[in-house]
Structures are given as structure tokens and as C-alpha cells.
Amino acid sequence: MWLIDTTLLELRFHVALIPQSYAILSHTWAEEGEVSFQEFHDVEARHKKDGFKKIKAACEQARLRGLKWCWVDTCCIDKTSSAELSEAINSMFRWYKESAVCFAYLTDLLPDPVKGRTSSFDQDLAQCTWFRRGWTLQELIAPRKLEFFDRDWNIRGTKAGLIKTLHTITGVSTRVLENSDRLRDTPAGTRMSWAADRQTKRAEDIAYCLLGIFDIHMPLIYGEGERAFTRLQEEIIKDKHDLSIFAWKAEPNEQKFRGLLARSPAEFRTCVVAQLSYQLKMTTEYSITNRGVQLHTLLGTDEDGNYLLPLGCVLRDEDKEAPKKRALLDDKDSVGIYLKKAPDYGLVRAHPDRLHTYKGWTSMMVLQHKKRRIHAPQDLSIYDCSAIDEQHRLSIRIGQPNRPFEINNTGPDYCWDANSQTFITMADQRFTGYCRLRITTSRRASFECILVCGLMRIPSTDKNSVQVNEEGLYVRAWCSVFSSSSSVWSELCHLTTGQEAQDLLHLRNVVGKKFGKCDSDRCVSETTSEIVLASVSAEKEQSNGIWFFRVNISVDCLPRRPQKRIQKLDVS
């Protein structure tokens, strides 16, 4: 670590430093005029730079406090050495924390008093550029002692004395401002929100400036752009157990589907008052794999066919006048995110511009969420969104919500979305799928049947077909249903126990050759008291501009007519 001798104004390298033995400068960089590591060694060259004035002033302030050493980021890092730059950025939070005092130099804070000024000091302070830069966030939080100076190096206040004002300006909680060790108890989403309105000159630095806030160490790769923020989230996921890292919200109408990771701290803006709910603490396991983020977690469903991932955190309303009311809201209004199945991607985030709100969390709601192992991509491009839409186009939905049957088994499994009762056909015109159904009759008798469905090309349009290209090609769904009285029942039972492609192709051929592929079918099953007629039909529907097919299933029960007894004549 290079430090400036505050008397000689010379750089000296220190292998190890005693904490509280040096001062440190926090400032905003100018476009030109800053003194580099190389220029600092040239006495004549450094005096020609405007940036040398604040270096000299900082050293003077340190010397007045009896400190021999001072650190300034412009000239105490040899930025021509990638190794030294990486070490400095990964160590910077600790360096600020272990300093004896930090001087925050605000070049746009005017001296007081100024004639004709109508704004208050708090208003002037809030307008300073220092509060909008990415790097100064850790320089606000880390130091134990922080002093603010105006343009003419007049001291205007300390962090301890301005703590409520600083909380109002930055959103950083007073607890963390008082003691940076409390960062470990602060949700990841909240820490991200503090950087929501901050900017950095380089895209990578919005991630690198947060390394200390999360106590994360990772190599710097300038040139990777927004990928740096993705890597930061990956490292947080590896190191922390905190699902609020997924509690971000995208801008409305930005993109239909997203992955699980945010693209910038700005998407965490609504998490500024997030709290981890200890009563709602998820026992979720998650990790980064080659398929994205893998989670073993509770997963629920909603009425619109989405999966719900609870995040175990509460976004409270910041109402300082009613702390008792806020306490009562703890463990209520917990948030979650919407997920949707996409075969080539796993589960993707749907409705990324909003969060699902749980109105209270009870043991019954926990029972309604099942533990599942899932994976989701880290991010999706616009191309991926189009591909997912294409996958869901020409899907086949089975039945209506109030269905008189249970689905016991389906295939192929990778295309079946159990939540929405849908085969995601990926617009494959030769798609074939099956469902093994258990139908319950009005008299509580039940029987099993097999529904086979798929897509087929037809040369001309009909009312239930969808045009798939400009060359006049149309596709429609077909369906067939079989009961145990069918002549091919045993063969179908065998073919619907596997998931292999050849089994599905054979299944398609069996149905096509023996019965034909039609858009409606029926089967009959007889019980001791009634005759059951199961009918299926395939119709096209449209949702959000995407065509799909629905296979409707209806069940009619006819009571058996009692057989007339034939009386034998006695001819003897």
C-alpha cells in the first residue's frame, strides 16, 4: 500500500500498516487535472495539476491531526499494474475502514455564508455530486470517522453529527452509518438499493465499487461491461444465503421474460426498506451451475399458470411516525417472484416489472408450496424472449380449471407444465404427447383412460387451424382418447410408460394408422351402475397474441337400464 508522507509529500510503500495510523481522502474525480502515480514522483509536473491542491490540503489536514501518512486514490495506486489495481480495489473498503479519519472533499459545496442563498445546508449537501458517484458509497459507510469539507476546505460537519441527514440523502440506514459491521445483517437487496441512483464512469465499476459493501473479492476484467455486475451477483449467491438478491424489479414494458439476476443496482430501488423475515426464513439451497442458478426451494402456483418463488423478505413501508404499526407488519406482505416454464431454459422470470405479494404468511400457505429443485438462467436477451414465445406458440392445454379428472402421468416430461396443464410443443409440427387420466363419475366411480394428442400439418385452413408460414402451411391439434375396453389398450399402456422419442413416434403411428388423427374423439367405459362417455375436442385459442390449442374433456354419465327378466313358459 502506497502512502504519502504528509510532511515531505513523498510516496512510501508499506507492506503492513497499523490501523488508525493514516488519513484517507474521499473525493470526486475531475475529467482532467488529477495527479497519477507516475506524475506524483515528478515534483514539477504535479504542481501543474489542479488535483495536486486537494492532495496537499488533505495532507495538511492529516498533519494537523498528528498523522504522518495519508492515502489518496488518484496517486497512491499504480494503475499501469493490473495486479496492483485489482488488489487496491478489492482492499479499498478495508483501507477506508481502518483509517484514522476520512476527509470527504465536496468541490461543489459552497462556503457558508453566501449572500442571497435561500437553501438550507441540508439541501446544499444533497445536491453535491459526491452523493451520486458509485465509489463514494463505500467511502461513506466504511470510515469510523468521516469529516465533510466544502470547496474552500472549511469543515462543515461529521458523519456522526449529520447521520439523519445522510440517511435521508442516501437511503443508507442509520444503523449501518453508525457501524459498518452491521452490513452483514442488511439484506442484499437493500444494499443494492443504495447504489440505485449512483453512476460510475465505466460500466464495470458499478459492480467493482460494491465489492466491499458485500465483502466480496473477485478479479477485475475491464472490458467485460455489464457482465461485471452479473459476476458480482454470482459471487454474492456463492457466499450469502439471502434470497432478496432476487427481489429486483425491471422497468415496465422492458422485456417479457428475464433470468433471475438483475442488470444493475437501479432495479433494486424498491428494496431500500427490505427486511429479512426470520419467521419466513427460507431453507433454500441455491448455487451457480452451467445451467444458470439452481435452487432447491419452496415453489407455489397462481391462477394464471405461473410458478411463485417466495423470497422470505418483507418490503415494508417506510413510515417513521408509526414504528408500532410497522412492527405489526413484520412477516406480512412478504414478496415473491413469478416464474414460467420454458423447456430449453428451465424456469424463467415472468412479469419482471413486478413482485408477487403474499398477504400474510401462514402455515397453510407453506403447505401450498412444494419443495422442488429447479434451475433458471441468469439473464435472457430479447432473442431469448422471442424464442420462448415461439416455444409456447401452438402449445396444447389440457382441460379447463374445474376438470372432472386427475392427471396421473404425462409425457414427454420436459414439455409438460403441470401448473398450467400444458404441453409446450415448441411449435414442432410432429409433436406427440400423452396424459393418463383418472376420471371420476357423478356416482364416485372412477376409471382410467389415456389421452393422446399432438400437432399435424394440413394443406388448407379450417376453423381450428393456425397458419404457420407465408407459404400457406396450416397446423392444427388432434386428440384421441382410449379406455380399457379399447383393442389397443395394452399396447398404449406399454408406450405411455417411457419417455423415449421412439416410443412417442410409435405412439403417434399406432393412433394414426388405426384410428386416424382427428380434432375430436370419444371413448366409453362401463361401470356396474352407469355408462361413462368421455369426449375430447381440440380448439384454437389466443392469449397475448400467441395461438395455442385447448383439448376440452367432457364426461357424460348414463345410468344403466335394468335388464328385463324373460319369464320362461312351462310347457309341461
Side-chain angles (χ1 to χ4, degrees):
M1 180 182 184
W2 292 95
L3 290 173
I4 305 170
D5 186 312
T6 57
T7 302
L8 302 176
L9 296 183
E10 295 177 351
L11 283 171
R12 293 287 185 271
F13 185 77
H14 297 255
V15 176
L17 259 183
I18 300 174
Q20 317 298 316
S21 64
Y22 59 93
I24 201 164
L25 176 66
S26 174
H27 63 113
T28 55
W29 284 40
E31 289 293 331
E32 296 180 354
E34 299 293 352
V35 180
S36 68
F37 177 82
Q38 287 74 21
E39 291 168 335
F40 191 87
H41 290 86
D42 188 331
V43 176
E44 184 178 347
R46 72 189 188 187
H47 278 89
K48 295 178 181 179
K49 295 276 190 173
D50 290 338
F52 184 69
K53 296 176 184 177
K54 58 185 170 185
I55 296 174
K56 189 175 180 181
C59 289
E60 183 179 350
Q61 291 291 336
R63 194 168 58 253
L64 290 174
R65 289 160 177 75
L67 296 170
K68 182 176 176 57
W69 306 105
C70 183
W71 189 87
V72 181
D73 56 358
T74 54
C75 61
C76 292
I77 305 172
D78 183 1
K79 299 173 186 64
T80 62
S81 168
S82 58
E84 184 170 331
L85 178 62
S86 181
E87 179 187 2
I89 289 178
N90 278 279
S91 305
M92 205 171 289
F93 188 92
R94 177 170 56 84
W95 291 350
Y96 275 90
K97 184 175 182 177
E98 293 180 353
S99 65
V101 61
C102 176
F103 307 129
Y105 177 53
L106 312 180
T107 57
D108 44 2
L109 182 62
L110 299 178
D112 194 35
V114 174
K115 291 182 179 180
R117 180 186 300 169
T118 57
S119 60
S120 66
F121 170 69
D122 288 0
Q123 291 173 325
D124 291 340
L125 191 66
Q127 295 301 314
C128 291
T129 308
W130 191 86
F131 291 102
R132 297 190 295 276
R133 294 291 173 88
W135 289 105
T136 55
L137 177 61
Q138 66 177 358
E139 297 164 16
L140 167 69
I141 294 173
R144 291 180 171 86
K145 185 175 182 181
L146 175 63
E147 298 175 353
F148 292 93
F149 292 82
D150 62 26
R151 183 182 64 187
D152 293 342
W153 281 93
N154 302 303
I155 188 168
R156 302 297 298 277
T158 65
K159 179 166 75 169
L162 296 170
I163 201 160
K164 290 185 177 180
T165 299
L166 295 173
H167 165 67
T168 302
I169 295 171
T170 64
V172 180
S173 69
T174 55
R175 294 181 68 256
V176 172
L177 291 172
E178 290 168 352
N179 185 350
S180 63
D181 289 339
R182 292 169 179 160
L183 278 170
R184 64 171 65 96
D185 301 323
T186 305
T190 296
R191 285 184 257 182
M192 287 289 189
S193 74
W194 299 336
D197 296 311
R198 292 177 178 262
Q199 294 86 38
T200 56
K201 188 174 181 180
R202 303 192 65 165
E204 299 87 351
D205 284 339
I206 198 62
Y208 301 157
C209 73
L210 296 173
L211 293 179
I213 301 294
F214 289 96
D215 193 21
I216 293 294
H217 299 270
M218 70 182 200
L220 311 185
I221 309 174
Y222 280 103
E224 66 176 332
E226 295 178 354
R227 170 65 185 154
F229 190 66
T230 299
R231 283 202 300 127
L232 172 64
Q233 293 171 91
E234 291 172 354
E235 293 300 320
I236 293 171
I237 288 171
K238 292 176 185 176
D239 189 60
K240 319 291 181 190
H241 186 275
D242 181 354
L243 287 174
S244 72
I245 192 66
F246 306 125
W248 52 269
K249 287 170 61 177
E251 291 295 321
N253 304 317
E254 185 182 56
Q255 197 168 297
K256 188 174 181 180
F257 303 111
R258 289 273 300 271
L260 279 192
L261 303 187
R263 290 176 178 167
S264 79
E267 295 186 325
F268 289 92
R269 188 173 281 106
T270 58
C271 290
V272 67
V273 284
Q275 276 199 336
L276 296 178
S277 173
Y278 294 101
Q279 283 76 14
L280 300 179
K281 189 172 182 181
M282 300 290 101
T283 56
T284 301
E285 299 175 13
Y286 51 90
S287 59
I288 299 294
T289 72
N290 61 344
R291 300 184 70 185
V293 184
Q294 181 172 284
L295 303 98
H296 188 210
T297 183
L298 292 175
L299 206 64
T301 59
D302 70 2
E303 296 178 353
D304 296 325
N306 298 304
Y307 292 94
L308 300 175
L309 172 62
L311 299 181
C313 66
V314 178
L315 300 186
R316 299 186 311 168
D317 185 19
E318 192 174 27
D319 180 7
K320 295 183 175 63
E321 298 302 320
K324 293 183 179 179
K325 180 180 178 181
R326 292 205 318 276
L328 293 174
L329 288 176
D330 284 355
D331 308 325
K332 296 189 177 181
D333 294 346
S334 174
V335 298
I337 57 175
Y338 299 93
L339 300 174
K340 193 173 185 70
K341 185 168 182 176
D344 289 345
Y345 299 88
L347 292 180
V348 300
R349 180 156 175 190
H351 310 299
D353 58 338
R354 55 192 173 100
L355 297 170
H356 177 76
T357 302
Y358 293 94
K359 294 296 183 181
W361 184 269
T362 66
S363 58
M364 182 59 67
M365 293 178 67
V366 174
L367 294 175
Q368 293 171 353
H369 287 63
K370 297 180 180 179
K371 197 86 169 181
R372 291 189 57 179
R373 191 173 299 278
I374 63 172
H375 73 272
Q378 294 147 309
D379 198 7
L380 294 174
S381 66
I382 295 176
Y383 172 82
D384 291 323
C385 290
S386 298
I388 292 170
D389 270 341
E390 183 66 18
Q391 287 182 354
H392 285 83
R393 192 167 70 95
L394 307 182
S395 292
I396 301 176
R397 300 184 184 180
I398 307 298
Q400 300 288 348
N402 298 321
R403 56 187 186 271
F405 59 87
E406 294 180 6
I407 299 177
N408 295 328
N409 190 21
T410 61
D413 183 64
Y414 67 90
C415 288
W416 175 250
D417 183 4
N419 184 32
S420 60
Q421 305 292 130
T422 300
F423 282 113
I424 303 172
T425 67
M426 295 183 282
D428 181 0
Q429 299 160 21
R430 292 188 58 81
F431 172 82
T432 304
Y434 66 84
C435 298
R436 301 189 68 146
L437 310 177
R438 170 64 62 178
I439 295 179
T440 303
T441 69
S442 58
R443 300 192 180 188
R444 296 190 177 181
S446 65
F447 70 97
E448 186 179 17
C449 66
I450 297 175
L451 168 67
V452 185
C453 60
L455 299 179
M456 64 180 296
R457 292 177 291 181
I458 58 174
S460 60
T461 182
D462 64 30
K463 66 176 184 177
N464 285 320
S465 66
V466 176
Q467 186 172 354
V468 295
N469 61 27
E470 296 178 356
E471 299 174 359
L473 179 63
Y474 291 83
V475 171
R476 68 167 170 82
W478 58 269
C479 54
S480 295
V481 63
F482 305 89
S483 68
S484 57
S485 60
S486 171
S487 61
V488 293
W489 177 256
S490 59
E491 186 175 10
L492 292 178
C493 287
H494 172 72
L495 292 174
T496 55
T497 56
Q499 301 283 336
E500 299 296 330
Q502 59 265 29
D503 293 333
L504 295 172
L505 180 59
H506 191 184
L507 179 65
R508 182 185 183 97
N509 291 335
V510 167
V511 174
K513 288 178 180 179
K514 293 188 177 181
F515 304 95
K517 294 189 282 291
C518 303
D519 57 7
S520 63
D521 194 16
R522 60 179 57 188
C523 71
V524 175
S525 179
E526 298 186 15
T527 68
T528 56
S529 60
E530 57 190 348
I531 299 173
V532 182
L533 179 67
S535 303
V536 295
S537 62
E539 300 176 358
K540 70 176 183 181
E541 296 184 22
Q542 192 173 27
S543 175
N544 297 320
I546 298 176
W547 286 105
F548 65 93
F549 299 99
R550 185 182 298 278
V551 174
N552 298 306
I553 302 175
S554 61
V555 178
D556 295 314
C557 300
L558 304 175
R560 278 184 176 275
R561 294 181 180 179
Q563 294 183 354
K564 294 182 179 179
R565 298 180 62 183
I566 300 175
Q567 189 175 7
K568 294 184 179 181
L569 296 176
D570 186 359
V571 295
S572 59

